[in-house]
Amino acid sequence: MQKDCKCGSTLNIQLRTVQYSKKVHIKNVPIFSCEECEESEVLLDVKEDLTELIKDIDHSNTKHQIFFNEINEFAHLLFVSSEKELIHIPIEEIIEQRINELLDILLLAQYLDDTKWVKETEKRLLQITDQIIYNKKIYKI
Ligand SMILES: [Zn+2]
C-alpha cells in the first residue's frame, strides 16, 4: 500500500510507535512515511480509532504501553502479515482467516449472551469490511 509524497517520492506504510504525552506509547500504529523527506502521517482509516483511544487514556502517573493492533483490525492484519512465518501467505488468505476467527468468536459471544463482547466483535468485523475490503486498500500492499 503506497501513496505519493509531496516531495515526489513514495509514502509507505509502516507500523510505528506513537508517543503520547511522554508517558504513553502506542505501538503498531499504521503510519505512512517517506524515506526521502521524513514526512509521516497517520492513515485516515485508523485516525478515528486512534483519536478515541487517546480520549480514553487513563491519565494516571504510570507509564504504559498500548498495542494498537489489539484495538484496530487494520493494524492487526498488517501486524500479522508482517510476521516472518506468515509473510509468504497472501494477505487475502490472512483476511479470510481473520474473518472466520471473528465469526467464531461472535457465535461464542452470542451463545454466552455477552452483549459487550458481541458489540466489540461486531465492531472488529466492521473495521475489516469498512476499512479493508470496501476500500480494497490492503490488497495493494
Ligand atoms: Zn517525501
Side-chain angles (χ1 to χ4, degrees):
M1 187 167 164
Q2 290 177 333
K3 191 181 163 183
D4 293 332
C5 180
K6 56 188 175 194
C7 76
S9 190
T10 316
L11 292 164
N12 286 303
I13 291 187
Q14 287 178 342
L15 292 173
R16 292 258 197 99
T17 300
V18 173
Q19 198 179 333
Y20 177 70
S21 77
K22 286 183 185 158
K23 286 175 193 159
V24 183
H25 292 256
I26 306 166
K27 301 198 107 176
N28 298 325
V29 180
I31 304 264
F32 272 123
S33 62
C34 176
E35 282 174 23
E36 294 296 319
C37 71
E38 290 177 14
E39 166 82 8
S40 67
E41 58 182 82
V42 173
L43 266 75
L44 217 56
D45 292 320
V46 303
K47 225 173 204 166
E48 201 180 309
D49 281 345
L50 192 64
T51 312
E52 238 173 76
L53 173 73
I54 288 169
K55 253 196 306 192
D56 289 344
I57 283 173
D58 171 19
H59 293 274
S60 55
N61 282 324
T62 47
K63 279 194 172 190
H64 60 289
Q65 267 194 119
I66 296 167
F67 290 90
F68 192 64
N69 56 302
E70 288 175 2
I71 294 154
N72 180 273
E73 277 302 314
F74 186 74
H76 173 79
L77 287 164
L78 282 177
F79 179 71
V80 168
S81 64
S82 65
E83 281 178 50
K84 277 194 187 76
E85 63 269 31
L86 293 175
I87 214 143
H88 62 282
I89 299 177
I91 190 76
E92 290 89 340
E93 213 169 290
I94 291 170
I95 293 173
E96 204 184 310
Q97 276 174 14
R98 183 61 179 162
I99 291 176
N100 286 335
E101 202 176 288
L102 285 170
L103 286 173
D104 284 347
I105 293 171
L106 186 63
L107 281 178
L108 181 64
Q110 283 168 342
Y111 175 72
L112 295 172
D113 216 11
D114 187 332
T115 322
K116 202 181 154 209
W117 198 14
V118 169
K119 281 220 176 96
E120 156 97 31
T121 311
E122 281 174 347
K123 192 184 158 205
R124 283 175 167 267
L125 278 163
L126 272 178
Q127 284 176 344
I128 296 187
T129 48
D130 284 3
Q131 297 176 356
I132 301 165
I133 296 179
Y134 177 71
N135 291 322
K136 290 221 181 337
K137 280 182 178 161
I138 203 159
Y139 295 112
K140 289 182 209 152
I141 286 173

